[in-house]
Amino acid sequence: MERDERLLHASSFGAAATAYAEHRPDYAQAAARWALEPAPGSRVLDLGAGTGKLTATLVSVGADVTAVEPDPAMLTELRRALPDVPALPGSAEAIPLPDASVDAVLAGNAMHWFDMAVAGPEIARVVAPGGILAGLWNVMDDRVDWVAGLARVSGSAAIGPRDTPTSWRAETADAHLPKTDAAARFGSPEQAEFPHGQRRTADSLIATLATRAGMLVMPEQEREATLGRIRAFLASRPETADGEFTLPMLTCVLRVRRL
């Protein structure tokens, strides 16, 4: 993805902040614990925190969390949901925290938006020696037949290569590295997957997919056609046609240590 296109996608969420807060899933607690396991302490920065989905999971596992988010609408939703968590405006490229002030930096479905040539040194600045950087991604388990069918019908704008376990490892393995010749600030990656799920109805799953960046920047007519295909598919499947169901998911983690 070219830089201008990446910036367009990354800045698209604010207009859908309320829907994002309502429909996006949280993260598996086991994934958060694994991400934090080698950290030297409990001070954690949730970077690119959005509406606080990962923030809430980090609070639930006992972390001392500060959230940083660039979009004002998303930050408003986060502060409303988690009023006791310090939540600051800022970005991966300009973090409003002192040097060595956190033991880990985590990013939920956000690290792929960071400009690591700039963000890498900035993240390394705020992380204490021996600290951790981890990216977490919620992916749909396309090893389940109906989920694989949904991915085919939806197209890559709604369910892309980072969104399924088939390809997330390859897609995110170098997410911590700069795309330039700048020196890497973090060591070799470790990756792990943790079972997760989200209770959905057909309508709420469609609403979830509508918050994906590729859908948000899609022309309205194309977007409605895509959502229509998804709606028809879900109505055709016994697993999803009537009432609530569990969307099979994994929370996938990339973990690296500060050099």
Side-chain angles (χ1 to χ4, degrees):
M1 185 180 292
E2 295 298 325
R3 182 175 185 274
D4 289 347
E5 184 181 0
R6 180 176 59 81
L7 290 174
L8 174 64
H9 281 68
S11 63
S12 65
F13 296 109
T18 301
Y20 193 107
E22 181 177 356
H23 296 296
R24 284 292 184 108
D26 61 3
Y27 294 81
Q29 289 188 353
R33 291 192 185 98
W34 185 84
L36 295 173
E37 189 177 38
S42 62
R43 302 170 302 168
V44 180
L45 167 61
D46 182 3
L47 187 56
T51 61
K53 295 294 184 176
L54 177 57
T55 315
T57 301
L58 293 170
V59 169
S60 74
V61 300
D64 177 12
V65 189
T66 298
V68 168
E69 165 57 37
D71 188 275
M74 303 286 269
L75 196 59
T76 295
E77 292 293 337
L78 191 158
R79 287 168 170 163
R80 180 180 297 125
L82 298 164
D84 295 331
V85 173
L88 307 173
S91 69
E93 295 78 19
I95 301 172
L97 294 179
D99 295 358
S101 58
V102 297
D103 301 298
V105 174
L106 270 60
N109 280 78
M111 192 185 293
H112 51 276
W113 302 125
F114 299 168
D115 178 359
M116 290 304 293
V118 180
E122 183 69 348
I123 294 169
R125 178 185 66 79
V126 303
V127 175
I132 294 297
L133 168 64
L136 289 79
W137 288 267
N138 277 322
V139 307
M140 296 186 183
D141 193 349
D142 63 350
R143 297 169 298 188
V144 177
D145 181 65
W146 75 262
V147 179
L150 175 64
R152 289 192 296 270
V153 167
S154 301
S156 61
I159 303 177
R162 278 189 310 272
D163 299 323
T164 61
T166 305
S167 54
W168 84 269
R169 285 177 179 266
E171 288 290 322
T172 64
D174 62 352
H176 62 294
L177 297 175
K179 300 299 188 286
T180 66
D181 293 332
R185 301 304 180 104
F186 298 90
S188 299
E190 301 173 271
Q191 292 175 299
E193 303 173 358
F194 299 86
H196 197 32
Q198 184 186 29
R199 293 296 290 173
R200 297 282 76 184
T201 64
D203 286 344
S204 65
L205 179 51
I206 291 165
T208 301
L209 294 174
T211 68
R212 299 296 180 93
M215 298 293 290
L216 292 171
V217 301
M218 188 180 284
E220 183 64 23
Q221 186 173 358
E222 183 181 355
R223 181 173 182 270
E224 289 304 315
T226 301
L227 294 175
R229 289 196 306 273
I230 295 169
R231 186 174 288 107
F233 174 82
L234 294 175
S236 75
R237 295 291 304 211
E239 301 93 340
T240 57
D242 186 29
E244 283 196 341
F245 54 88
T246 297
L247 174 64
M249 303 177 68
L250 300 168
T251 297
C252 300
V253 188
L254 168 77
R255 182 177 74 184
V256 292
R257 189 184 293 273
R258 180 183 180 274
L259 294 174

